[in-house]
Amino acid sequence: QVQLVESGGGLVLPGGSLRLSCAASGRTVGNYAMGWFRQVPGKEREFVASINWIGGTTEYAESVKGRFTISNDNAKSTLYLQMNSLKPEDTAVYYCAGAKVLGWNTLSGSNEYDYWGQGTQVTVSS
């Protein structure tokens, strides 16, 4: 089992920045695809970004390309999402997720992930 705990959410002005963190613990041996998703009430959970933990391959949703950066620190077993130029439509609960993979691929479907954090609220408002 893998446990994921997000942190770093909060209230930020439009145009501002936030960095989310996701600390992983438990049986983390092997390669994983790690992802960030977000969800607003009444809508489906939406893919934001994914990274292959060992290979470093990344994938982004079109809506966040050029503004968000996903990264990881293997020594700290921590996943990050740097969010710049934030917009009100980025407001959501952000979740990190993980799934064991055999290759260097990323994953963009929520049903492909086995492990989920509890979520952290990001609110972009003036």
Side-chain angles (χ1 to χ4, degrees):
Q1 284 289 347
V2 174
Q3 292 79 44
L4 303 173
V5 179
E6 303 98 333
S7 60
L11 173 64
V12 63
L13 293 171
S17 298
L18 275 177
R19 188 176 80 158
L20 304 183
S21 299
C22 173
S25 61
R27 294 179 59 86
T28 57
V29 175
N31 196 16
Y32 285 78
M34 300 295 294
W36 288 100
F37 289 76
R38 63 189 183 186
Q39 190 170 25
V40 297
K43 294 185 106 175
E44 296 280 320
R45 194 166 291 190
E46 176 189 24
F47 170 72
V48 175
S50 178
I51 188 168
N52 183 279
W53 192 264
I54 293 179
T57 312
T58 59
E59 181 182 1
Y60 295 92
E62 284 298 322
S63 58
V64 306
K65 269 184 187 175
R67 299 189 299 123
F68 291 10
T69 302
I70 189 171
S71 63
N72 63 313
D73 185 328
N74 194 39
K76 295 182 179 178
S77 296
T78 300
L79 176 73
Y80 300 102
L81 184 69
Q82 178 67 44
M83 304 186 293
N84 298 329
S85 302
L86 282 161
K87 305 174 182 180
E89 51 264 42
D90 294 318
T91 296
V93 177
Y94 283 71
Y95 298 90
C96 72
K100 207 155 189 180
V101 294
L102 297 177
W104 310 121
N105 57 298
T106 56
L107 298 172
S108 59
S110 60
N111 60 351
E112 299 178 283
Y113 285 88
D114 301 309
Y115 307 106
W116 292 87
Q118 81 289 351
T120 185
Q121 176 71 46
V122 171
T123 303
V124 184
S125 175
S126 54

